[in-house]
Amino acid sequence: MEPTGGDVADRTPAQWTSDGVPNAAAEDTRLHQEGFREVVSVQTGSTHGQGISWVMQLGSASAASRELTAELHEFAYGPDAPTTTTRFIVPGVPSAKGWVFPGSDANVLFTEGPCLLLVGDALPGGDQRPVVAATHTVWARTHGKPGACAT
């Protein structure tokens, strides 16, 4: 998929959670405690569907790992997630955790240093292959490279 607009930067937890995130006040507090720096997101699309990718920079690698766990609990594996959510891993990306909602969205979360990254799509059928390929592409561009997410 290709970007369908410009990057959007949220520089505070409140900006990030302003689009209807459940328990936004508690999420804002937790993100602030984790050293939230910013989130940059981009919408993507193709003739087959839409997607989103984002990167969240936090105060440390351990904060990024904790946020990965919190995000998975809230949106993928937690009590409000569909019971038929399919989990998967992404070979070659050690921290990657993927999930597919029944017949639709496929998503992967992974960490790189103090950053948490998401690659997601909303393609019909819930095919995980496009997000796995995109995760490998992002990982190849970021892993071990200089930048805000450097380990």
Side-chain angles (χ1 to χ4, degrees), residues 99-107 121-128:
W99 71 98
V100 177
F101 289 127
S104 64
D105 299 0
N107 300 281
D121 69 31
L123 300 174
D127 186 357
Q128 68 195 36

Side-chain angles (χ1 to χ4, degrees), residues 51-108:
I52 186 166
S53 295
W54 54 255
V55 59
M56 175 185 293
Q57 185 182 13
L58 297 161
S60 67
S62 59
S65 292
R66 286 189 298 272
E67 184 59 21
L68 181 138
T69 299
E71 291 278 336
L72 289 172
H73 180 74
E74 182 70 35
F75 299 107
Y77 305 164
D80 295 329
T83 57
T84 56
T85 299
T86 303
R87 300 177 192 191
F88 62 94
I89 60 167
V90 179
V93 182
S95 64
K97 306 288 186 216
W99 71 98
V100 177
F101 289 127
S104 64
D105 299 0
N107 300 281
V108 174

Side-chain angles (χ1 to χ4, degrees), residues 17-86:
T17 62
S18 66
D19 285 336
V21 170
N23 305 312
E27 179 90 354
D28 293 349
T29 299
R30 188 176 50 72
L31 288 170
H32 179 74
Q33 291 169 343
E34 295 291 7
F36 181 96
R37 304 272 165 75
E38 76 177 317
V39 174
V40 177
S41 59
V42 63
Q43 298 290 321
T44 57
S46 73
T47 57
H48 302 288
Q50 299 177 345
I52 186 166
S53 295
W54 54 255
V55 59
M56 175 185 293
Q57 185 182 13
L58 297 161
S60 67
S62 59
S65 292
R66 286 189 298 272
E67 184 59 21
L68 181 138
T69 299
E71 291 278 336
L72 289 172
H73 180 74
E74 182 70 35
F75 299 107
Y77 305 164
D80 295 329
T83 57
T84 56
T85 299
T86 303

Side-chain angles (χ1 to χ4, degrees), residues 102-126:
S104 64
D105 299 0
N107 300 281
V108 174
L109 278 169
F110 63 100
T111 60
E112 179 71 26
C115 296
L116 176 64
L117 298 93
L118 175 121
V119 177
D121 69 31
L123 300 174

